Structures are given as C-alpha cells and as structure tokens.
Amino acid sequence: MKWQLCLAATIAIASATPASSETAPSSVAFEEGAIATSLSGKPGDTASGIKVMTTNALGNCVACHTIAALPEVQFPGDIAPPLDGVADRYSEAQLRGIVANAKKTFEGSFMPAFYKTDGFIRPGDGFTGKAAKGELAPILTAQQIEDVVAYLMTLKE
C-alpha cells in the first residue's frame, strides 16, 4: 500500500512538472520584441497551430491575415499583412514575440496581445456592466503560442 502512495505521488509530481516549466505571461522577457525561448518548454505542433489560427474562439489569425497555404479558409481577412513567407522575414524568436504581444515589435499595432494578462482595461463580466473578478487568463496558452509559431515557421517563400 505504501509503494502505491509513493507511485501515485511520483506520477502527480511528474505530470505537474511540464506546467512548472511554462513561462507566465507576467514573466515573459522580450528582447527588442523577440522572445528567445519557448513559453511552454515544449516544441510546437503545426497541426495544432493551424487549428488555433483558424478557430474563431482561439487565435483566429485568418480574420485579419491571408495565408495562401490555407485555401480552404473562408473569408480570410486582408487588413493585416499576408503571412506567406513570414518565416523568411522573421526568426522564430521574433515570431514568438509578435504572436505573444505584437505591440512590443510594432508600436500601435491593432493585433491583440495573445499572451498578456495585465496592463489593459479589464473587460466586463458578461453583461453585468461590472469588471471581471479575479485574474484574467491570456487569450492563448503558452503551448498554443508555440503551436502557432511552429506553423508560421513552415511558411517560407
């Protein structure tokens, strides 16, 4: 019985370890707009990155950007630069910084800060007219940022 408790504790600690390697939004270190290291501590997944970029409730990057590699996207936006060839224009660290908070690279950008939890006017709590209570979560998780960056790194000319 005692070894089973030790095994359960070991499994619990091991499963919690990846979360501890994640960089919190308030601890992100930008260097000239770039973020040098992975926010999640794990590599991104390109298929998941496509899902984040094309899902309304997630990043929805295609609402503003066109991506020729995703011709099945209906009604892509054209108010932001096309993402074709973006991996040739920016490094992985620069793309990570742009996705996390584009305003660190492009002052005045209207692109949302996808990995930020403070320094903005708090959104309301539903339709109550009151500010939301508690800490707000970032729009995307650290792993979702890494997934988007992994996909963007495939977009070469």
Side-chain angles (χ1 to χ4, degrees):
M1 182 73 164
K2 191 174 190 177
W3 70 270
Q4 291 171 328
L5 289 174
C6 288
L7 179 62
T10 302
I11 291 171
I13 290 169
S15 64
T17 301
S20 66
S21 65
E22 185 174 294
T23 303
S26 60
S27 300
V28 173
F30 288 90
E31 295 174 25
E32 296 182 12
I35 302 171
T37 58
S38 169
L39 295 173
S40 68
K42 297 187 285 187
D45 174 66
T46 57
S48 296
I50 292 170
K51 182 178 179 182
V52 169
M53 294 177 70
T54 59
T55 302
N56 290 352
L58 295 174
N60 199 24
C61 306
V62 295
C64 299
H65 298 277
T66 59
I67 306 170
L70 299 175
E72 68 280 0
V73 172
Q74 292 186 338
F75 312 114
D78 62 0
I79 60 171
L83 294 178
D84 305 321
V86 73
D88 292 327
R89 295 189 300 273
Y90 300 103
S91 69
E92 181 177 350
Q94 289 170 319
L95 288 172
R96 185 178 293 112
I98 291 167
V99 175
N101 188 349
K103 290 165 186 62
K104 298 285 187 176
T105 302
F106 306 110
E107 187 178 331
S109 173
F110 58 83
M111 183 169 157
F114 287 102
Y115 201 64
K116 180 179 172 179
T117 58
D118 58 9
F120 47 79
I121 298 171
R122 295 180 57 82
D125 187 15
F127 298 100
T128 65
K130 298 178 182 174
K133 294 181 175 81
E135 187 173 324
L136 298 174
I139 296 171
L140 296 178
T141 66
Q143 188 58 50
Q144 288 170 326
I145 297 286
E146 295 305 319
D147 295 342
V148 169
V149 171
Y151 178 68
L152 291 174
M153 289 303 296
T154 70
L155 298 178
K156 298 183 181 253
E157 294 287 343

